[in-house]
Amino acid sequence: MTDSETRSLAERLHGLPVLFATALLLPAMAALPAGEPLSLARHLPLQALFETISSVAAFLVFVVGWMSYQRRAPIAVLLIAATFLGVALFGLGFLLSDQHTTEPEALFGASTAPLFWMAARLLAVLGVALAVLIPWKDRPTSPQTRSLLLSSLLGLVAGTFAVILFGREDLLSGLQSVVGVAAFQDGIHYFAVAIYLLSAGVLQFHRRSIPNIDTRSLSVAIAFIVLASISFTLQATTNDTFNLLGQVYKLFAYYYLFRAVVISGIEEPYRELASARARLRATLEALPDIIFELDRRGIIHQMHSRYPHLIAQPEDVRGRCLLDFLPESVQREYHKLLDDIDRNGRSGAYQYKLEADGETRDYEATGNLLRDPETPETRYIVIVQDITQRKRLDHELRIAAAAFESQESICITDEAHRTLRVNSAFTRITGFAEHEMIGGDPAMLLPEDDRAGFRQRMDERMEDRSRWRGEIRLRRKSGEVHSQLLLVTAVRGEQGRVRNFIYDYIDISALKKAETRIQQLALYDSLTGLGNRRLMEVRLARSIEQGHQSGHYGSLLLINLIQFKKVNDAMGFSAGDQLLIQVAQELRGIAGQDGNAFRQGADEFALIVETAAGDARSAASLVQATADRVFAALNRAFSISGEEYYNRCRIGATVFDGPSVDGAEVLGQAAIALHQVKADPDRIFSFFDPEMQQVVAQEQTLESELRRAIAEEQFLLHYQPKVNRDREIVGLEALIRWQHPTRGLLSPGDFVPAAERTGLITPIEKWTLEQAIAQLARWRDHDAQRNWSISVNVASSQFYRDEFEIHLDSLLDHYGVDARQLILEFTESTLLHDVHAARDRILRLAKRGVRFSIDDFGTGYSSLAYLGRLPVHELKIDRSFVKDLDREPYNAAIVRMVIEMANILGMQVVAEGVETEAQYRFLTQQGCELLQGYLFGHPVPVEEINDPADDQESVP
């Protein structure tokens, strides 16, 4: 048991052991045979001693209770104090009564003693009962109430004295005639016992607290008074042992009654003072501020600080002048502060800067006048706060406020997505004022069809992350719907609990329009309006996936117009265009709302047919029916430039199910089927023959050979120059080659697809990456090549592998290469695979210095909104756009738009496949900074690299 627990137990048991021990004396004496009472000669002095002690104790109760609470005396304390003043006076009357005399004329005779005794007992029981039983309010009494109470008590005592001294004969005879003096005296004792027991019960069972009285001591005192009263009722004579035992009990009672008042009146104030000092000391220790007590000259009389090293130890600065520790500029501020206190009794806040802990920190001083009657001279309390952090926070808040009022619209909500505040840009863009949004959910700005899905997607994302990003449709107050990029950030408080959400809206309407325009140019045929080959590949992949999920077969039909070249040659290109437009209209009608009709090439079209057939035979029947519709629509006469031209077509078709094929395979099968039709002039329709797929066996052989090539390192790197506008080499693209033992040098197209399908691309790309970085390391000592960069293609399957980043970091550290010379190229499809994961990985590697390039840009379908937020350094225009710049106007339009967009986004543009001077001139005129293609060099081993700028000097 701890010391505090021991003290607490002692307080709860206060007086009880003594009470129980002495209480046992009463039954013990009652059980003993009655002895001879003491002689009066021996008893009276002993009784007088007890009464004297009791009276003194009662008087002390009055003095302590009355005098200790002069300023804050509650009525209950004053009542007990006044009561025991009367008890003390009645005790004095008892002591003055001469119990030896029998003279009736004596003022204080033997007959007055019992009357004073009974008066004291009655007054005591009534005073204690009033103090305990009445629920007094804990508030100080007024001086008038104190005077009235004391006057009433003294009047009562004086009246009682007069009755006892001058009317005792009539009083005694009256009592004797009614019940007898002894019986009346016993009745008083029984009445006192009953009232005291009732009071004790109220204290213990009702837990009543008497203001400013120790109720535990009062309860023990009442218990001793009860024992004393019982002892007095058991006495046979006034000089037997029960009378003496009652006197002892009464002394104990007065002792504990004295404690009940003293603890509250004397000890308790000291305890409160000690507690207040302890709380003050703890408060000061918790304060980070420096506190000085100064006089007018600045002399330090007291000092408190948790950081005494900032000035000195308190004992070292007492008696010294505070201004001696401060520079002159700060001294002036302190003089102003003291003058301010002299005028107003307190000062405002004075701020200044000081060098502390090796840095400049901000401080704020405030002061108050110390009004202490014990201190003759004027003193000041000065509190110094370190406000450096507060000023930093204020500065950050100002920055945050400025950022909040930026051009981007921002909405702040609580954890339940109830709007708390919006900025002016939000009001300007949405049309909703702040008071219209307060309390509402920002989801109200979405079209109704989008709201449920939006909240579900965002909540799922927020469960394990603190951010959600996505494109939304925002409905303005006017009803207009615009595309927005929305970033929702969760602000978490203590224990990770979400306190607020910040909605950041970025208007991407212009970007979406540009994206739509680019996709229109990139994915649709400008003449017929049908989807081009790129779009067909996307739709074909989607159809395969849907077939895989539903278990249904699909089909692809390739349609070739027979002798279309003769139309162009005989009737002109305009006539050929008219025919193509009419054919496209017919195919669009057959494809229906799905829009699965495409223009593959100059005279070739395609149809994707999604059937509901669950087997190949049924699917083939449906495909045959579709082919018959195509023949009926196209094998007829068309009006071209006022003349009729009879058109004929042929079709190659294949059926597929999802699990067994991919888009390239299906397209290859349809192409083979069409080739079969072209090879036989008598045929116009053919299904793909599965027996022609010898490529399967070839791929199996290729896989085995690839494994051997990896083990024997049969690969090598060729490099193709990447030049600037002046044809100077600024970097190379690393292109892998396979030195096949029997087939010779193979390009990536001959083995990389097979490597990707078999999973062998991982070791191949690891080897490629290490060889490229090793080459950069070898160039460190060559002035001509030391600043060149090397671009390395990275497949999607490798980029998202966890070990890719680890492997790349280890290579850069091992070879000590500047990461800025390494450019990783990936296609737009790699970005689409997982935009958020790609962004996180790119950001980490970009911090290392690695640069990134999007290869074949324009052939994919990524969002330009995401592109603007990725740290991508280069866009490589696909060679398909560069190839036909002089023949396809829309290709030139795409190239211009990509270059302009890259300039806006701060990216460099690399044009691939530059093979002619005309292409070079067009690209440089449009602002293309970097070029790559056969015009500047074929992919060759590194030692065969020649600078095209040197060759250009010899060109006339």
Side-chain angles (χ1 to χ4, degrees):
M1 184 178 293
T2 63
D3 293 342
S4 61
E5 290 173 338
T6 303
R7 286 194 300 271
S8 177
L9 179 61
E11 290 177 356
R12 290 197 300 271
L13 297 179
H14 175 68
L16 292 181
V18 177
L19 176 63
F20 290 142
T22 55
L24 294 176
L25 294 175
L26 189 60
M29 294 184 63
L32 294 175
E36 291 294 329
L38 294 174
S39 64
L40 288 176
R42 296 173 59 192
H43 170 74
L44 290 177
L46 188 60
Q47 187 180 24
L49 176 63
F50 283 140
E51 284 298 329
T52 301
I53 296 174
S54 298
S55 297
V56 171
F59 187 74
L60 288 176
V61 169
F62 163 72
V63 172
V64 172
W66 194 268
M67 302 304 294
S68 298
Y69 294 95
Q70 288 186 6
R71 297 181 181 176
R72 54 186 182 92
I75 186 64
V77 174
L78 294 178
L79 185 59
I80 291 178
T83 296
F84 278 87
L85 174 60
V87 171
L89 293 175
F90 286 137
L92 179 61
F94 178 84
L95 291 174
L96 293 176
S97 298
D98 188 359
Q99 300 187 42
H100 291 282
T101 181
T102 58
E103 297 179 4
E105 295 82 5
L107 186 60
F108 291 93
S111 60
T112 61
L115 295 177
F116 282 119
W117 175 273
M118 288 185 286
R121 303 288 80 73
L122 280 173
L123 182 60
V125 70
L126 291 175
V128 172
L130 287 175
V132 172
L133 299 180
I134 297 178
W136 302 100
K137 294 183 178 179
D138 183 15
R139 63 182 181 211
T141 56
S142 64
Q144 293 81 3
T145 303
R146 291 166 57 90
S147 300
L148 179 61
L149 180 62
L150 185 59
S151 300
S152 301
L153 185 280
L154 293 177
L156 177 63
V157 171
T160 304
F161 262 81
V163 170
I164 292 175
L165 294 178
F166 302 107
R168 60 178 177 270
E169 296 299 334
D170 295 336
L171 182 60
L172 289 173
S173 62
L175 291 175
Q176 186 65 39
S177 64
V178 177
V179 293
V181 175
F184 183 76
Q185 192 169 359
D186 289 341
I188 290 177
H189 290 311
Y190 291 135
F191 172 74
V193 168
I195 296 300
Y196 283 134
L197 289 177
L198 177 62
S199 301
V202 170
L203 286 176
Q204 295 302 315
F205 297 108
H206 287 263
R207 300 295 181 188
R208 175 165 296 171
S209 175
I210 302 176
N212 299 94
I213 290 182
D214 181 13
T215 54
R216 287 189 295 269
S217 296
L218 182 59
S219 298
V220 174
I222 292 174
F224 274 114
I225 292 175
V226 170
L227 291 175
S229 299
I230 294 173
S231 298
F232 291 138
T233 59
L234 294 177
Q235 68 182 12
T237 63
T238 58
N239 57 341
D240 64 5
T241 55
F242 283 106
N243 183 283
L244 294 177
L245 183 59
Q247 296 287 351
V248 173
Y249 283 145
K250 189 171 67 170
L251 288 178
F252 275 112
Y254 283 14
Y255 166 72
Y256 282 104
L257 185 62
F258 179 74
R259 281 188 57 85
V261 178
V262 167
I263 287 178
S264 297
I266 297 178
E267 294 183 11
E268 191 63 30
Y270 282 103
R271 290 182 183 177
E272 292 177 359
L273 179 60
S275 176
R277 286 179 174 173
R279 287 194 296 271
L280 178 60
R281 187 180 304 109
T283 302
L284 290 176
E285 290 299 327
L287 288 175
D289 306 333
I290 306 174
I291 303 175
F292 296 102
E293 180 183 335
L294 308 174
D295 61 20
R296 195 59 180 85
R297 297 169 298 165
I299 301 300
I300 301 172
H301 293 273
Q302 295 290 339
M303 170 189 163
H304 170 80
S305 173
R306 288 175 58 187
Y307 311 104
H309 64 281
L310 295 178
I311 296 182
Q313 294 294 332
E315 57 271 14
D316 296 333
V317 299
R318 290 192 188 100
R320 298 181 62 183
C321 183
L322 174 63
L323 304 182
D324 293 343
F325 298 95
L326 304 175
E328 184 177 350
S329 59
V330 179
Q331 291 180 21
R332 289 194 294 271
E333 295 299 318
Y334 268 88
H335 284 302
K336 293 178 184 178
L337 181 143
L338 297 181
D339 292 340
D340 196 1
I341 298 175
D342 287 337
R343 287 191 302 269
N344 305 309
R346 60 193 309 173
S347 74
Y350 290 83
Q351 296 183 1
Y352 56 89
K353 296 180 181 292
L354 275 181
E355 290 290 333
D357 291 337
E359 62 175 327
T360 301
R361 303 189 67 84
D362 292 282
Y363 292 92
E364 182 178 87
T366 57
N368 268 54
L369 189 65
L370 175 62
R371 294 179 174 85
D372 186 357
E374 302 298 327
T375 304
E377 63 178 340
T378 302
R379 296 281 179 89
Y380 308 87
I381 297 297
V382 177
I383 300 176
V384 180
Q385 291 180 310
D386 186 336
I387 60 171
T388 306
Q389 186 64 22
R390 191 180 81 190
K391 284 214 163 188
R392 290 173 182 169
L393 291 176
D394 289 343
H395 182 64
E396 292 175 3
L397 285 175
R398 285 193 293 271
I399 293 175
F404 183 72
E405 293 300 337
S406 64
Q407 295 301 312
E408 295 181 358
S409 58
I410 298 173
C411 174
I412 299 176
T413 73
D414 61 13
E415 71 278 6
H417 300 283
R418 291 184 293 264
T419 300
L420 302 176
R421 189 179 176 190
V422 300
N423 67 351
S424 56
F426 181 95
T427 299
R428 185 177 65 255
I429 292 174
T430 66
F432 288 96
E434 185 173 47
H435 71 273
E436 296 176 291
M437 289 297 302
I438 297 299
D441 190 336
M444 64 182 279
L445 300 178
L446 303 178
E448 291 187 8
D449 296 341
D450 297 352
R451 294 177 189 175
F454 161 74
R455 183 63 70 210
Q456 180 180 358
R457 292 195 307 273
M458 195 186 79
D459 291 345
E460 289 175 355
R461 184 75 171 179
M462 287 294 183
E463 286 183 1
D464 55 347
R465 300 191 183 184
S466 293
R467 286 192 174 190
W468 181 87
R469 183 199 302 269
E471 292 183 18
I472 64 168
R473 295 188 302 156
L474 180 71
R475 180 180 55 83
R476 296 179 178 174
K477 188 175 182 179
S478 62
E480 299 175 88
V481 177
H482 290 262
S483 296
Q484 298 279 321
L485 176 64
L486 174 60
L487 172 63
V488 182
T489 304
V491 180
R492 300 184 181 274
E494 297 179 358
Q495 300 177 348
R497 181 172 172 267
V498 175
R499 300 295 300 275
N500 299 94
F501 291 98
I502 299 176
Y503 287 71
D504 187 359
Y505 299 86
I506 301 173
D507 190 352
I508 57 171
S509 300
L511 284 176
K512 292 296 289 185
K513 289 180 181 178
E515 179 183 349
T516 301
R517 178 60 179 161
I518 289 178
Q519 289 190 355
Q520 185 72 27
L521 292 173
L523 301 179
Y524 290 87
D525 179 58
S526 60
L527 175 65
T528 63
L530 297 179
N532 61 16
R533 182 185 180 93
R534 299 186 187 94
L535 183 59
M536 186 204 68
E537 291 173 351
V538 173
R539 297 281 181 85
L540 183 59
R542 186 184 68 183
S543 180
I544 293 172
E545 178 62 25
Q546 290 175 347
H548 174 60
Q549 295 175 356
S550 64
H552 296 157
Y553 277 73
S555 67
L556 175 64
L557 286 73
L558 293 184
I559 304 162
N560 174 251
L561 302 183
I562 301 174
Q563 295 183 341
F564 173 73
K565 186 175 182 300
K566 290 184 179 180
V567 177
N568 285 332
D569 293 342
M571 305 175 66
F573 289 108
S574 175
D577 290 346
Q578 293 180 46
L579 177 61
L580 292 175
I581 291 172
Q582 295 181 56
V583 168
Q585 291 175 345
E586 296 293 339
L587 293 179
R588 189 180 289 110
I590 295 173
Q593 295 181 349
D594 291 339
N596 284 333
F598 311 92
R599 185 186 178 194
Q600 276 281 92
D603 59 355
E604 190 171 297
F605 295 84
L607 279 177
I608 297 176
V609 180
E610 297 174 349
T611 74
D615 59 90
R617 185 179 296 276
S618 299
S621 298
L622 293 173
V623 171
Q624 182 66 63
T626 302
D628 291 340
R629 292 179 62 194
V630 172
F631 287 136
L634 301 186
N635 289 351
R636 65 178 178 84
F638 287 87
S639 176
I640 301 175
S641 298
E643 299 182 15
E644 286 193 352
Y645 168 76
Y646 191 84
N647 180 68
R648 295 178 65 246
C649 68
R650 48 198 166 202
I651 300 174
T654 184
V655 295
F656 57 84
D657 59 343
S660 61
V661 292
D662 59 21
E665 186 177 352
V666 172
L667 187 57
Q669 291 175 357
I672 291 174
L674 183 59
H675 179 72
Q676 288 177 304
V677 176
K678 289 180 178 181
D680 187 352
D682 297 329
R683 299 176 65 184
I684 60 172
F685 178 77
S686 175
F687 272 109
F688 169 71
D689 184 2
E691 294 181 358
M692 296 182 65
Q693 279 191 294
Q694 297 178 358
V695 69
V696 175
Q698 293 175 356
E699 284 194 357
Q700 291 177 346
T701 302
L702 183 60
E703 180 180 351
S704 300
E705 293 176 340
L706 274 173
R707 294 186 184 277
R708 186 179 305 110
I710 292 171
E712 297 176 0
E713 294 190 358
Q714 297 175 3
F715 301 104
L716 53 89
L717 288 185
H718 282 189
Y719 296 88
Q720 185 174 28
K722 182 166 56 177
V723 303
N724 59 20
R725 297 162 62 96
D726 298 325
R727 302 178 186 248
E728 297 171 342
I729 295 179
V730 295
L732 304 173
E733 180 178 1
L735 301 169
I736 192 170
R737 298 291 186 265
W738 179 8
Q739 189 64 53
H740 194 280
T742 59
R743 297 168 61 188
L745 191 66
L746 301 182
S747 64
D750 296 325
F751 62 90
V752 167
E756 290 180 338
R757 287 193 294 271
T758 57
L760 297 176
I761 193 65
T762 300
I764 293 175
E765 287 206 340
K766 284 185 176 181
W767 180 87
T768 302
L769 195 59
E770 182 169 7
Q771 294 301 312
I773 293 175
Q775 183 60 54
L776 287 173
R778 287 191 287 271
W779 281 342
R780 280 198 301 254
D781 299 328
H782 297 78
D783 293 337
Q785 294 88 16
R786 65 189 310 166
N787 294 321
W788 287 2
S789 63
I790 292 183
S791 301
V792 179
N793 289 281
V794 180
S796 174
S797 59
Q798 303 308 305
F799 183 72
Y800 289 101
R801 295 173 68 92
D802 292 337
E803 59 266 24
F804 172 79
E805 191 173 344
I806 299 172
H807 178 64
L808 178 58
D809 282 336
S810 64
L811 289 177
L812 291 172
D813 292 337
H814 176 72
Y815 288 99
V817 169
D818 185 353
R820 292 174 296 181
Q821 294 180 264
L822 178 65
I823 301 176
L824 298 182
E825 292 187 7
F826 53 83
T827 62
E828 292 178 275
S829 60
T830 300
L831 176 63
L832 275 177
H833 181 73
D834 188 339
V835 174
H836 296 289
R839 183 176 183 274
D840 292 342
R841 177 150 294 178
I842 290 173
L843 285 173
R844 288 195 299 271
L845 291 175
K847 287 182 179 179
R848 178 70 188 263
V850 178
R851 294 188 290 166
F852 293 88
S853 175
I854 297 183
D855 198 9
D856 301 335
F857 183 74
T859 64
Y861 317 98
S862 64
S863 170
L864 295 180
Y866 289 116
L867 181 62
R869 290 180 172 265
L870 289 174
V872 175
H873 305 84
E874 286 184 357
L875 296 181
K876 299 191 76 172
I877 301 176
D878 185 60
R879 65 181 67 249
S880 63
F881 296 117
V882 176
K883 179 181 179 182
D884 297 324
L885 278 176
D886 53 347
R887 293 191 302 271
E888 295 288 351
Y890 73 90
N891 279 3
I894 290 176
V895 169
R896 290 193 194 95
M897 189 172 295
V898 170
I899 293 174
E900 183 177 352
M901 182 190 65
N903 290 334
I904 293 174
L905 296 177
M907 301 179 185
Q908 288 186 319
V909 177
V910 180
E912 291 186 300
V914 181
E915 298 180 1
T916 67
E917 290 292 336
Q919 293 169 351
Y920 166 73
R921 286 192 298 272
F922 175 84
L923 291 168
T924 53
Q925 289 171 1
Q926 299 303 319
C928 183
E929 298 178 357
L930 301 176
L931 306 102
Q932 182 179 339
Y934 291 163
L935 181 63
F936 314 108
H938 289 257
V940 294
V942 67
E943 56 272 9
E944 298 179 19
I945 294 294
N946 293 319
D947 195 332
D950 297 337
D951 298 338
Q952 180 67 12
E953 293 176 358
S954 62
V955 177

